[in-house]
């Protein structure tokens, strides 16, 4: 009996129907099948985000068919057989069936084909080499994809080392798919091949590495996969100097227990040593976004030191100086590094207090300082800094007159 997906909503939506109708008008029935993640995730009752389609049509034919149907076309990977259709705002990545002609571990020269089995043989894992017609009928050319998807087995199509030599990014993809879909022990042959070829990760573009790493860390529980990376030596290649595996594991546990949002950037920070300079250099090597780089560096700042027994006044001062996002990140890292059984309520309370407090605006301006008799120039900034330190030390005193009187006393005591 043939496996079937049924007719899930993503398959029968008006957007999907428009794309398939356009392709079949050019290539006939069964010229296009859903492939990869949407098929796999529907089989295992997981959420479907991306809709990928494989087709016997060439990229030129796909482009002509979509254009004739009034759909927008983006040549997202034309030389490798991929175009993206935009149907009522939803993207569909459409790729011509293909086989590898030449590969070097980073890029491939491909030739188009009309052989579905040949296309399947060049895919990475059996659970990704799955296709489905628009009526829901599933095609499993390797003969193992459906069973492996349901069992959570991440198994390379064919010989693992050959698959990796075609694209060394598959080393990281092996661990990423273990994090998202794996169950139980890893495939021994696949893990051994990843360990043997781990140094080839260095040949990949930094952007590809960081994108795959952050996807891995975004899984609900990436701890077993990251442990495997460490044991196989892959983690040391990707993150030289990553020394806080224990802190990372506790952070993931805290996020789960406390219902915090899954946070791949903070999880990456947790893996790194408490060294802002080293973290900044690693972020540059990985070509992380400026936002992720700045956040990770701020999370690893040594001051102000956060302790679980801080008073509300000390917490407010730390939030004011660090900013709420950095304070929250540093509190979570501190929590993850602590003896949690004793201090969980304190750390949770610190974060709650910080999130419930809005830092007031400093009540004194540069013009106020000038009016108090301080001449314009560097001295104004010096006075402002001294006044702000006083105001923070007095727990952001909400008394404008006290601030004005303090300004007067500071101004009178300075030699101009």
């Amino acid at each position: 009996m043939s496996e079937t997906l049924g007719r899930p909503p993503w398959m029968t939506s008006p957007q999907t129907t428009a794309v398939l109708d356009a392709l079949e008008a050019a290539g006939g029935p069964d010229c296009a099948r859903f492939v990869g993640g949407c098929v796999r995730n529907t089989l295992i009752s997981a959420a479907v985000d991306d809709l990928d389609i494989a087709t016997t049509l060439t990229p030129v034919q796909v482009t002509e068919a979509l254009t004739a149907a009034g759909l927008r076309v983006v040549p997202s990977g034309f030389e490798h057989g991929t175009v993206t259709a935009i149907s009522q705002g939803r993207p569909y990545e459409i790729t011509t069936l293909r086989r590898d002609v030449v590969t070097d571990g980073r890029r491939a020269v491909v030739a188009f084909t009309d052989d579905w089995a040949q296309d399947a043989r060049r895919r990475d894992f059996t659970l990704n080499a799955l296709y489905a017609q628009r009526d829901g009928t599933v095609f499993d050319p390797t003969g193992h994809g459906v069973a492996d998807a349901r069992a959570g087995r991440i198994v390379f199509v064919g010989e693992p080392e050959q698959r990796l030599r075609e694209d060394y990014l598959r080393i990281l993809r092996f661990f990423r798919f273990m994090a998202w879909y794996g169950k139980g022990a890893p495939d021994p042959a696949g893990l051994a091949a990843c360990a043997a070829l781990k140094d080839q990760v260095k040949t990949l573009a930094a952007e590809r590495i960081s994108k795959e790493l952050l996807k891995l860390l975004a899984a609900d529980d990436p701890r077993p996969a990251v442990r495997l990376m460490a044991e196989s030596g892959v983690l040391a290649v990707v993150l030289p100097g990553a020394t806080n595996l224990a802190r990372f594991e506790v952070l993931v546990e805290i996020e789960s227990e406390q219902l915090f949002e899954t946070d791949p950037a903070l999880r990456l920070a947790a893996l790194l040593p408490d060294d802002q300079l080293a973290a900044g250099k690693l972020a540059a090597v990985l070509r992380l976004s400026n936002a992720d780089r700045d956040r990770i560096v701020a999370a690893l700042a040594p001051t102000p030191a956060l302790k679980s027994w801080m008073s509300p006044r000390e917490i407010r001062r730390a939030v004011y100086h660090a900013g709420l996002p950095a304070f929250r990140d540093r509190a979570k890292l501190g929590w993850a590094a602590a003896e949690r059984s004793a201090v969980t309520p304190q750390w949770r309370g610190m974060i709650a207090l910080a999130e419930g407090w809005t830092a007031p605006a400093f009540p004194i301006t540069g013009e106020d300082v000038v009016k108090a008799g301080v001449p314009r120039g560097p001295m104004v900034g010096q006075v402002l800094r001294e006044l702000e330190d006083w105001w923070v030390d007095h727990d952001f005193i909400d008394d404008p007159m006290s601030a004005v009187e303090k300004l007067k006393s500071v101004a009178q005591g300075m030699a101009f």
Side-chain angles (χ1 to χ4, degrees), residues 262-330:
T262 298
D263 196 332
L266 186 60
R267 288 174 172 182
L268 176 55
L271 281 167
L272 303 179
D274 292 320
D275 183 334
Q276 285 185 298
L277 182 60
K281 289 180 178 178
L282 179 63
V285 169
L286 289 176
R287 302 283 183 87
L288 295 179
S289 70
N290 291 341
D292 282 343
R293 177 203 63 204
D294 293 346
R295 183 181 176 196
I296 289 170
V297 170
L300 297 174
T303 58
L306 302 188
K307 303 295 181 182
S308 64
W309 56 83
M310 291 172 70
S311 69
R313 176 176 173 176
E314 291 171 320
I315 292 170
R316 287 190 287 269
R317 181 185 303 175
V319 172
Y320 183 79
H321 286 304
L324 176 59
F327 176 89
R328 184 166 45 214
D329 285 348
R330 295 192 56 223

Side-chain angles (χ1 to χ4, degrees), residues 16-89:
T16 303
T17 298
V19 172
L20 292 181
D21 285 349
L23 296 175
E24 290 184 355
D30 199 31
C31 74
R33 297 176 182 176
F34 301 101
V35 66
C38 58
V39 182
R40 175 197 66 229
N41 283 19
T42 301
L43 279 171
I44 62 175
S45 300
V48 172
D49 297 319
D50 300 326
L51 294 181
D52 295 339
I53 297 172
T55 181
T56 56
L57 298 174
T58 67
V60 171
Q61 291 172 321
V62 170
T63 300
E64 292 174 347
L66 296 172
T67 301
L71 297 173
R72 182 182 166 209
V73 182
V74 179
S76 48
F78 202 84
E79 65 180 11
H80 291 100
T82 301
V83 299
T84 299
I86 309 297
S87 179
Q88 299 179 39

Side-chain angles (χ1 to χ4, degrees), residues 141-158:
T142 72
H144 303 285
V146 171
D148 286 347
R150 287 180 169 152
R153 291 188 292 263
I154 312 304
V155 181
F156 285 101
V157 174

Side-chain angles (χ1 to χ4, degrees), residues 15 18 156 189 234 350 392:
Q15 300 100 310
F156 285 101
V234 173
M350 283 174 60
V392 172

Side-chain angles (χ1 to χ4, degrees), residues 104-106 156 164-165 167-175 193-213 216 229 232-240 282 285-286:
D104 64 2
R106 292 176 296 167
F156 285 101
L164 295 180
R165 291 192 182 280
D167 185 354
Y168 293 121
L169 189 69
R170 288 171 174 171
I171 295 172
L172 299 184
R173 285 174 63 82
F174 177 81
F175 296 103
C194 290
L197 295 173
K198 61 182 181 297
D199 288 332
Q200 298 301 326
V201 170
K202 299 174 185 176
T203 67
L204 298 169
E207 293 87 351
R208 298 184 75 199
I209 295 173
S210 59
K211 182 178 180 181
E212 201 65 34
L213 178 62
L216 186 161
M229 290 180 72
S232 65
V234 173
L235 186 63
V237 175
V238 177
L239 297 177
L282 179 63
V285 169
L286 289 176

